[in-house]
Amino acid sequence: KYVQSSTDGVYARIRNALEDGKTVLFSGTPCQCVAVKSVFGDAEKLFLVDFICHGVPSPDVWKKYLNEVCPDGADDVSFRDKSRGWEDFSIRINSGGVNLCQSHVVDPYYRVFFSNTALRESCYECSWKGSQRASDLTVADFWGIDRVFPQMNDNRGVSAVLVNSEKGRLLLEESSEKLTVVSCDKEAVLKGNGMYYSSVKRPGTREEFFQKLSVRDVDGICRDLGLYPTKSSLAKLRTRSMIKKLYRIIKRLSVRH
């Protein structure tokens, strides 16, 4: 999701597994699921799961960023560390026993990602938005869960699962014994996930970003292009976060009583 994944050898592994009679679940971006389905069709034992996609950054940006923050290499990377909570998620990188953990609000790689500055050109005009999907299930963060099921928001994350096919419905039903599943209106999920319907806009800073990528570090480029939030906007974000926490507490108490 945050780095373009490699599908080298994946198609051969899928084919071999299906020929052996095994059940296969492939998860990837909507366009990757379209590609897999174009090769294997509606194979009975092949399940496809995509997600509501923001867009995929250039792998070169990730490699450069990682080399700058961890020149000795990374042992482990989490793009959605929730030690500060679900809404203030962080990137966490472990290198030689040392942990680097930065909020998505201030981390340079995240600032590039969320400003849409380094996405693939095709992501700005994605052909696989909306309900016409190749996947059986679509997953996403249930942003806006407070509006529907506030008692479920423990700030550790709530997932939304959209059913796109009969195969997807059966898969979800078979998995529900191990999950807490609550049905809700589809539009309640999509209200906080606008990327389901539309692509992000191509920013005017994209060309300048890639021109500077070979001569400046990622942090420096973010500063040059003004991708970091200002002090006043950071203060507003913190205030908004505190209000949301109080709102969650009040809603939970009201539900219990």
Side-chain angles (χ1 to χ4, degrees), residues 178-216:
K178 299 181 180 179
L179 306 170
T180 300
V181 179
V182 179
S183 298
C184 75
D185 182 69
K186 180 179 179 181
E187 291 306 314
V189 173
L190 300 184
K191 191 172 183 179
N193 281 287
M195 294 301 100
Y196 178 84
Y197 293 112
S198 59
S199 303
V200 297
K201 293 182 179 180
R202 188 185 191 278
T205 53
R206 188 181 188 279
E207 290 184 8
E208 185 179 355
F209 175 86
F210 280 102
Q211 288 172 356
K212 291 187 174 187
L213 194 60
S214 61
V215 294
R216 288 276 277 161

Side-chain angles (χ1 to χ4, degrees), residues 24-26 33-34 36-37 46-50 134-137:
V24 177
L25 186 146
F26 174 88
C33 286
V34 169
V36 170
K37 191 166 187 174
L46 174 62
F47 294 86
L48 303 178
V49 179
D50 67 5
S135 63
D136 300 298
L137 296 173

Side-chain angles (χ1 to χ4, degrees), residues 102-158:
Q102 292 198 101
S103 168
H104 70 283
V105 177
V106 296
D107 179 78
Y109 186 76
Y110 263 130
R111 297 325 305 156
V112 172
F113 177 77
F114 284 113
S115 65
N116 311 321
T117 302
L119 304 182
R120 298 175 62 200
E121 285 286 6
S122 57
C123 294
Y124 301 116
E125 296 182 7
C126 178
S127 301
W128 313 112
K129 295 293 184 178
S131 59
Q132 300 303 313
R133 292 175 176 255
S135 63
D136 300 298
L137 296 173
T138 296
V139 297
D141 286 286
F142 198 152
W143 300 122
I145 185 71
D146 286 327
R147 293 190 297 266
V148 190
F149 302 113
Q151 69 277 12
M152 294 184 68
N153 188 0
D154 58 3
N155 202 25
R156 290 186 295 178
V158 179

